[in-house]
Structures are given as structure tokens and as C-alpha cells.
Amino acid sequence: MPALLCRIWWRGRQNPGYRQRVGERLGWVIAQTQPGAIWIHAVSVGETLAAAPLIEQLLQDYPDRTIWITSTTPTGAAQVERLFGNRVKRSFMPYDLPLCWWLFCRRVKPVCLVVMETELWPNLLACCQQRRIPALLANARLSARSARGYARLAALTRPMLQRLTRVAVQNEVDGQRFLDLGLPPARLTVCGSLKYDVVVPTSIEDQAHDLRQGWGADRPVVLLASSHEGEEALLMAAARQWMQRWPQLLLVLVPRHPERFDPVAQTCLDESFIVARRSRQESGNGCQIYLADSMGEMLLLLAAADVVVMGGSLVPRGGHNPIEPAALGKPVLMGPHYFNFQAVVDELEAEKALQLTTSSSLVTDVARLLDDPQQRQQMGYAGQNKVRHSRGTVARLAAEVAVLVP
């Protein structure tokens, strides 16, 4: 426990949110007066955004029940508040210690647990089994790399999986990996990816148009989405070459973690780029790099881009969700490290909605798309068509939850 609290304090140096509401991480949350809360755990921003359509459906289906959402990161907690306000109860996820879970469940009184994607903790599932709280692993995915890691801890993994009531996977390949690790076959169902049910606001195009006007309507715009350390430098080096061909080109950087906003801004200045920052409400007209140092605006920024490069894929972080830019009709480039979204990337690439690239071919690949508006349009149409025909996971997962709720 002292080590965990020290870790929170250490992480709070860069993100003060980690030092807030520490009691919730020990299980001390506001007591729930009525039993029967539907408990959903979404680790961070990505999982929260993916879960949003399902949560909206559950709010409609169970108006008399409390929807309780736990998050691990401060950015995830902020996203819950931004999306749902006081329509849900929210808290940080407690540490995976029996005493913390005893206190949390005693105060929240959950009727079931829905864990988004693959956030498995042995004491959590043991507590659910002891208290007869059914647990659903929803929108589950398991890369080959993660499966190998779980297999090395088979003595822990097998009983943990057998405590799950249901596992709703995104595709059959991931489903087979769960079975190989010890999940009983009768508990597995293939529901598809919840991310295909992304909701694009009807006003997004008008907002994106206004944003482009502020940047300069005729400028080519390349956006790096959810970037990690090392990727901004790659894009800045590439941008210097693109700007020789298109002097007015704008590079938009969207760092994945807010604690990196200031360091990325300083790196841009050190490289002698003209920088505008969204947090300062700077228009971006005349700048070379627009730093999107804000939260909850990814769809808007994607809608305003001409070409999207997915972060986390040019360095070995496993990539990030390419479905959102595809749903907006944007051509998507993905680097070689996309093991977290293997199936989705394969599907979009097969439909010619996504193109694979590398750090060495990035300059040429982006330039080819900037040179060919027709190809960009064709990739955009293909992406929107794939997303449209892959919807329906929300309804399937809501049906899975309905089985667990008495």
C-alpha cells in the first residue's frame, strides 16, 4: 500500500489529477443508498469513448437504476464527467486489494459488472464471485502479444477467466485466444467492435469548417492523432519536406497524454516551428504547427484534417483506434506497430480505407495522398461504408447486460 500511494504521488508531479480523490482508490466512495447499480469500468479516455454508446443505451433501458462508472486515469474520469455529467455516478477504480474491493462493493452495491476491453484483475473477479456479482468482459480484445503474457501466468490467468460470467469479444481470432487461455467455450460470444458504433454529431462538419477557416481554408492539413513520445519528432522532420512542396501545409499534433502538452510545445519551438496552441484559443492562421492541447475534441480535429496518421503506431505502443477517422471519411495511415487493433486495421486495409506506412516511407505516402484528392475521397468513402455496415454492437452488448441484470 505505501508503494502504491507513493506511485500516485510520483505520477501526480506531471498530472495533478492523480493526487485527487485518493480515497476512492482505496474503495472509499460515496455510499449508494439503493442496491442494484450497474457498474461499468472503463480504464481511460479510449475505453470511455468506446463505451459511451453502450452507456447511453443502458441509461435508456434502466432509468431506475444507477449507472456507476469507474476509471483508472484522471483523463478517463474527466471524460466521464464531460460525456455524462450527473446522469451517472463515477469514481476512480480501487486498487486490486481484497479490503478495497470489500469496501467498494459494500458501498456501491453493484448488481453486475461490465469491464470494457481487457482490464482483468484477480482480486476484483474473486470479489465478484464471492458476492455473486456477474461479470461481463465487453468489447474484449486480446492481441497475440498480450495472450503470450497471460499464458506465462497460466496459474493466475485460468481461474481468473473462469470467474467471468460472459466474454463478448470483437472477433473470432481474439475469442480463440481467450479459449486457449482457459475460458469455458459456453461463456464466449462474438459481438464485433463497439468502436464501430461511434456517434458522429451532425454539427461536426460545420464546426470543422469553422476551424479550417481559422487555420486558413486552402491549406493542406496533416494530423497526428494520439501521439506518443518520439512520434512528434518524426512528423516534424517529415513536415519540413512536405513544406518544400506545400509551403502552407499545417501539421496538427494531438498528444495522447495531457502531461506531454508543454514538452511537445517546447520541442516544436526548439525546432524553430511557428506554433499555435488550442488551449490559448489561437487561430492557427500563419502557424506551421497547431498543437491540440485540449481534451474531448478528437472528432472535431479529425473532421478538420485532410490526412490522418494514427499515433502509437510509429513507435511500439500498439496503435490507437482508426475507426473514428474512417467514420469521418478521412484517409488513414497506420504505422507498423498496431497490435492493439490488429483485426480492425486488417479490416479497414482490406476495404482500402487504410494504408500501412513506416517511418521511412511516411513522407512519400502522405505526399502521394496530398497530391491525389480522388484517392483521399475513395479511401474516405470506403471507411465510412465499412463503419456503416459494421454497426450493431451496442444492441448485442446491451442484450448481454440484460442477461446479468435481475
Side-chain angles (χ1 to χ4, degrees), residues 124-157:
L124 163 62
L125 295 178
C127 176
C128 288
Q129 185 182 53
Q130 292 163 6
R131 290 177 169 267
R132 297 182 180 178
I133 301 170
L136 165 68
L137 189 61
N139 205 43
R141 57 188 173 91
L142 190 64
S143 68
R145 179 179 178 180
S146 296
R148 289 193 295 271
Y150 278 116
R152 284 194 289 269
L153 300 171
L156 184 66
T157 299

Side-chain angles (χ1 to χ4, degrees), residues 221-296:
V221 177
V222 178
L223 182 143
L224 174 60
S226 297
S227 60
H228 291 261
E229 186 172 359
E231 292 183 312
E232 295 92 2
L234 288 172
L235 266 291
M236 281 188 272
R240 290 194 188 279
Q241 299 185 56
W242 297 327
M243 288 173 185
Q244 293 175 12
R245 176 80 177 277
W246 298 278
Q248 297 302 311
L249 181 136
L250 177 65
L251 175 62
V252 180
L253 299 178
V254 191
R256 176 71 173 178
H257 300 113
E259 58 266 29
R260 295 190 61 243
F261 290 162
D262 288 339
V264 170
Q266 189 58 52
T267 300
C268 295
L269 293 173
D270 291 344
E271 292 295 324
S272 301
F273 283 101
I274 303 171
V275 182
R277 299 184 64 166
R278 184 154 182 80
S279 62
R280 298 175 181 173
Q281 298 181 338
E282 297 168 346
S283 71
N285 192 0
C287 76
Q288 296 169 305
I289 293 180
Y290 188 81
L291 180 60
D293 52 349
S294 60
M295 299 298 295

Side-chain angles (χ1 to χ4, degrees), residues 328-345:
L328 290 161
K330 303 299 175 179
V332 185
L333 285 93
M334 179 75 74
H337 307 287
Y338 55 89
F339 52 82
N340 283 333
F341 291 89
Q342 179 79 48
V344 169
V345 171

Side-chain angles (χ1 to χ4, degrees), residues 91-334:
S91 66
F92 281 121
M93 178 80 153
Y95 291 125
D96 194 45
L97 299 170
L99 181 60
C100 296
W101 289 126
W102 175 83
L103 181 59
F104 178 85
C105 290
R106 185 168 177 264
R107 297 179 72 82
V108 174
K109 305 179 181 69
V111 69
C112 68
L113 166 63
V114 180
V115 179
M116 295 304 301
E117 300 192 7
T118 312
E119 180 78 357
L120 298 173
W121 295 98
N123 286 318
L124 163 62
L125 295 178
C127 176
C128 288
Q129 185 182 53
Q130 292 163 6
R131 290 177 169 267
R132 297 182 180 178
I133 301 170
L136 165 68
L137 189 61
N139 205 43
R141 57 188 173 91
L142 190 64
S143 68
R145 179 179 178 180
S146 296
R148 289 193 295 271
Y150 278 116
R152 284 194 289 269
L153 300 171
L156 184 66
T157 299
R158 183 174 290 272
M160 185 169 60
L161 291 178
Q162 291 176 347
R163 289 185 174 116
L164 288 165
T165 309
R166 299 287 296 169
V167 174
V169 295
Q170 297 183 18
N171 57 74
E172 294 181 359
V173 174
D174 287 359
Q176 186 58 53
R177 290 175 183 144
F178 278 102
L179 296 178
D180 293 342
L181 290 172
L183 178 72
R187 301 182 191 179
L188 180 73
T189 183
V190 179
C191 286
S193 175
L194 192 57
K195 288 182 169 66
Y196 278 118
D197 286 63
V198 59
V199 177
V200 178
T202 55
S203 62
I204 201 74
E205 290 298 330
D206 290 337
Q207 295 176 42
H209 176 267
D210 293 341
L211 186 57
R212 284 293 293 255
Q213 291 296 119
W215 291 343
D218 298 326
R219 306 178 68 182
V221 177
V222 178
L223 182 143
L224 174 60
S226 297
S227 60
H228 291 261
E229 186 172 359
E231 292 183 312
E232 295 92 2
L234 288 172
L235 266 291
M236 281 188 272
R240 290 194 188 279
Q241 299 185 56
W242 297 327
M243 288 173 185
Q244 293 175 12
R245 176 80 177 277
W246 298 278
Q248 297 302 311
L249 181 136
L250 177 65
L251 175 62
V252 180
L253 299 178
V254 191
R256 176 71 173 178
H257 300 113
E259 58 266 29
R260 295 190 61 243
F261 290 162
D262 288 339
V264 170
Q266 189 58 52
T267 300
C268 295
L269 293 173
D270 291 344
E271 292 295 324
S272 301
F273 283 101
I274 303 171
V275 182
R277 299 184 64 166
R278 184 154 182 80
S279 62
R280 298 175 181 173
Q281 298 181 338
E282 297 168 346
S283 71
N285 192 0
C287 76
Q288 296 169 305
I289 293 180
Y290 188 81
L291 180 60
D293 52 349
S294 60
M295 299 298 295
E297 295 189 303
M298 183 62 83
L299 282 177
L300 170 60
L301 295 162
L302 290 170
D306 292 314
V307 176
V308 174
V309 180
M310 291 309 305
S313 66
L314 296 170
V315 294
R317 297 302 297 264
H320 290 294
N321 173 27
I323 294 175
E324 289 182 343
L328 290 161
K330 303 299 175 179
V332 185
L333 285 93
M334 179 75 74

